[in-house]
């Protein structure tokens, strides 16, 4: 295997020096040095991940769990090692609790279509929050349509973007079968108290699902400490490839769930009119999986752990505090989300400038932002806006980039004021 450029033995260097591990960052866009602030959409990939993908396709490429030749054995070993790596990354009790999926979206759809179909009936309630991404709303709407279950929402307080926990006693009650919520809001940057929410649900025997799309690459995650039943993540938001993610599920829950997609690998035996299922997690992985993706994901997890997840979280906190402080000084800027204790995501609006116009002009200055509803249309409705502009940071971003971004916003403001 190719050596990880950031080995655990390497003494801590300034995070800025890690930029050298990300070749994509070293370029100009529209004649300006690229400032990549769209990390909540997807993060960039370090050399270690590129090398792991390259190595797999150059040396080991074969299908898994099928062949008994050397390459297939190697591919199977690497794929299952990636599962063990993911289990360790999340502190799951066993590898059987890790199902590889295409990402967070597919992981949530899997739970809705298996656990949900089997467990929910007319009148049951599913509790969500108003800050959920469409991926954690639409699968439950579809399930509600199939079963007659009802959706209920825990409100968000307003522009400060906190969950209205004072309403939990009233909304988290017997009759609710599932409480599904995001760990970190992709629009507001709010970090929700997931362990506390899971504990409250567990006291009532309510199943919990945590959407960790925005937290898995930014905060230390321990599913046992969180105490959730399910947790979903996407590899591409934590330095891994696109097209791979994972569902963590408590083993006893996964075992009790029917399969979702049918096909090769998820079966123990098939006859003309009936089949028997493979053991978990294979029961949920029909067909040839994204073998390279899983291997790349494991390399990304190695990389992040070598950098240090607490260190990444600390950098996020410092950079976002600096950004919030700088942005608060820009007249006419409306900032969404908590002022303190937030993740490295900042949504804002500048005077009457449409978010898409702002993002288009920022791109002319080499600054990559996102503008739109961020797949949070219900939240936008709650906030009374159509869209926001969003800057989202990662450990390779710097204070100097934040300062340059704020200077660009001031230029944009002058431009639109003309
Ligand atoms: N948010 C963003 O720019 P997928 O697409 O399956 O990898 O992740 C979906 C998803 C689920 N939950 C949250 C909280 C998310 O932020 C996302 C993806 C991206 O905000 C793309 S819309």
């Amino acid at each position: 295997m190719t050596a990880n450029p950031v080995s655990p033995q390497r003494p801590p260097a300034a995070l800025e020096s890690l930029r050298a591990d990300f070749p994509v960052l070293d370029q100009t866009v529209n004649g300006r040095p690229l400032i990549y602030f769209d990390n909540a959409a997807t993060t960039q990939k370090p050399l270690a991940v590129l090398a792991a993908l390259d190595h797999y396709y150059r040396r080991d490429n074969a299908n898994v769990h099928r062949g008994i030749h050397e390459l297939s054995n190697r591919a199977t070993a690497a794929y299952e090692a990636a599962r063990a790596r993911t289990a360790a990354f999340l502190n799951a009790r066993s590898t059987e609790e890790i199902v590889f999926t295409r990402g967070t979206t597919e992981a949530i759809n899997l739970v809705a279509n298996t656990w949900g179909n089997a467990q929910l009936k007319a009148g049951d309630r599913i509790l969500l929050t108003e800050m959920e991404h469409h991926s954690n709303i639409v699968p439950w709407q579809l399930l509600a349509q199939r079963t007659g279950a009802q959706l209920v929402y825990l409100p968000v307080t307003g522009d400060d973007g906190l969950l209205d926990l004072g309403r939990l006693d009233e909304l988290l009650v017997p009759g609710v079968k599932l409480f599904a919520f995001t760990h970190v809001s992709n629009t507001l940057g709010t970090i929700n108290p997931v362990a506390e929410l899971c504990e409250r649900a567990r006291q009532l025997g309510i199943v919990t699902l945590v959407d960790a799309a925005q937290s898995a690459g930014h905060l230390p995650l321990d599913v046992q400490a969180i105490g959730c039943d399910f947790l979903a993540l996407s590899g591409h938001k934590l330095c891994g490839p696109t097209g791979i993610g994972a569902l963590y599920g408590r083993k006893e829950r996964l075992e009790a769930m029917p399969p979702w997609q049918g096909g090769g690998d998820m079966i123990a035996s098939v006859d003309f009119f009936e089949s028997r299922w493979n053991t978990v997690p294979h029961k949920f992985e029909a067909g040839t999986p994204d073998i390279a993706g899983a291997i790349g994901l494991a390399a990304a997890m190695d990389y992040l752990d070598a950098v240090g997840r607490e260190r990444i979280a600390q950098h996020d906190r410092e950079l976002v505090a600096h950004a919030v402080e700088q942005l608060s000084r820009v007249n006419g800027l409306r900032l969404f989300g908590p002022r303190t204790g937030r993740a490295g995501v900042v949504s804002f609006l500048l005077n009457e400038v449409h978010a898409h116009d702002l993002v288009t002009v920022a791109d002319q200055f080499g600054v990559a932002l996102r503008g739109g509803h961020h797949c949070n249309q219900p939240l936008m409705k709650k906030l009374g806006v159509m869209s926001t502009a969003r800057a989202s940071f990662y450990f390779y971003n710097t204070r100097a980039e934040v300062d340059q971004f704020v200077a660009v916003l001031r230029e944009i403001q002058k431009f639109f004021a003309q």
Side-chain angles (χ1 to χ4, degrees):
M1 284 296 286
T2 315
N4 187 334
V6 183
S7 75
Q9 289 79 39
R10 194 159 115 175
L15 287 180
E16 194 172 339
S17 71
L18 300 179
R19 288 176 69 86
D21 293 337
F22 295 82
V24 75
L25 296 176
D26 184 20
Q27 60 177 299
T28 54
V29 168
N30 294 317
R32 308 284 187 111
L34 168 67
I35 296 182
Y36 186 77
F37 279 177
D38 197 15
N39 293 287
T42 199
T43 61
Q44 298 301 346
K45 320 303 171 200
L47 290 168
V49 170
L50 305 185
L53 295 172
D54 185 75
H55 178 92
Y56 168 70
Y57 279 125
R58 273 179 204 272
R59 303 291 307 160
D60 299 337
N61 178 49
N63 214 327
V64 291
H65 307 141
R66 286 159 171 82
I68 42 170
H69 56 79
E70 169 67 15
L71 293 196
S72 179
N73 288 340
R74 275 193 234 153
T76 303
Y79 180 70
E80 290 306 325
R83 195 189 307 280
R85 185 65 188 88
T86 307
F89 190 78
L90 297 175
N91 195 28
R93 288 167 207 81
S94 89
T95 53
E96 293 161 303
E97 300 190 313
I98 303 299
V99 180
F100 283 124
T101 63
R102 283 193 298 122
T104 304
T105 304
E106 191 176 62
I108 297 174
N109 275 279
L110 192 160
V111 177
N113 281 279
T114 57
W115 177 86
N117 280 2
Q119 298 295 328
L120 263 74
K121 56 180 187 329
D124 286 343
R125 272 179 259 165
I126 300 167
L127 180 61
L128 306 173
T129 85
E130 287 180 343
M131 66 170 77
E132 297 313 310
H133 186 276
H134 296 169
S135 301
N136 202 21
I137 296 177
V138 183
W140 307 119
Q141 290 177 344
L142 293 169
L143 176 64
Q145 284 162 18
R146 289 195 297 274
T147 58
Q150 258 184 307
L151 300 185
V152 184
Y153 287 90
L154 182 65
V156 167
T157 46
D159 281 13
D160 61 349
L162 297 170
L163 287 180
D164 190 350
L165 296 177
R167 300 283 305 279
L168 256 195
D169 279 345
E170 170 201 333
L171 297 173
L172 190 65
V173 289
V176 173
K177 289 289 153 62
L178 174 80
F179 185 19
F181 45 87
T182 194
H183 191 176
V184 168
S185 160
N186 63 314
T187 288
L188 301 163
T190 317
I191 304 173
N192 289 322
V194 284
E196 182 190 329
L197 297 178
C198 288
E199 171 61 20
R200 296 277 297 266
R202 200 165 48 246
Q203 283 167 7
L204 298 169
I206 297 168
V207 171
T208 47
L209 181 145
V210 176
D211 173 349
Q214 294 296 344
S215 60
H218 292 262
L219 301 169
L221 269 194
D222 178 334
V223 288
Q224 295 188 55
I226 292 172
C228 53
D229 291 286
F230 299 106
L231 179 139
L233 64 83
S234 297
H236 70 98
K237 293 191 201 287
L238 56 88
C239 290
T242 52
I244 187 77
L247 170 71
Y248 156 80
R250 269 179 204 272
K251 189 178 167 201
E252 59 276 20
R253 292 250 178 257
L254 293 179
E255 281 179 335
M257 281 154 49
W260 181 23
Q261 296 173 336
D265 227 24
M266 53 75 72
I267 48 85
S269 67
V270 178
D271 205 338
F272 283 109
F273 298 105
E274 59 177 17
S275 304
R276 289 189 308 111
W277 315 134
N278 204 340
T279 50
V280 296
H282 309 290
K283 181 169 78 173
F284 299 109
E285 293 181 4
T288 301
D290 185 355
I291 305 160
I295 291 167
L297 174 64
M301 290 172 168
D302 284 345
Y303 184 89
L304 292 185
D305 276 340
V307 175
R309 279 186 274 167
E310 190 42 65
R311 218 167 140 221
I312 292 172
Q314 179 62 24
H315 179 79
D316 276 355
R317 282 192 287 273
E318 286 169 12
L319 205 59
V320 80
H322 179 60
V324 166
E325 202 253 319
Q326 293 296 308
L327 290 170
S328 326
R329 295 172 187 220
V330 178
N331 287 334
L333 189 139
R334 177 175 170 193
L335 203 57
F336 299 90
R339 291 287 145 155
T340 56
R342 62 188 292 159
V345 178
V346 194
S347 277
F348 57 94
L349 284 171
L350 193 57
N351 303 101
E352 302 309 314
V353 184
H354 193 286
H356 283 147
D357 294 338
L358 189 152
V359 169
T360 304
V361 182
D363 184 52
Q364 296 307 304
F365 289 87
V367 182
L369 304 174
R370 186 171 170 194
H373 53 63
H374 316 300
C375 299
N376 276 141
Q377 280 184 342
L379 176 66
M380 296 290 142
K381 191 171 176 186
K382 166 81 183 208
L383 298 172
V385 297
M386 295 296 288
S387 57
T388 69
R390 183 185 73 182
S392 51
F393 313 124
Y394 213 13
F395 57 84
Y396 40 66
N397 292 127
T398 66
R399 277 170 81 94
E401 286 182 315
V402 170
D403 293 341
Q404 175 61 17
F405 151 65
V406 176
V408 165
L409 288 185
R410 292 187 188 280
E411 289 295 318
I412 293 174
Q413 197 169 36
K414 273 191 234 153
F415 174 79
F416 281 99
Q418 282 165 13

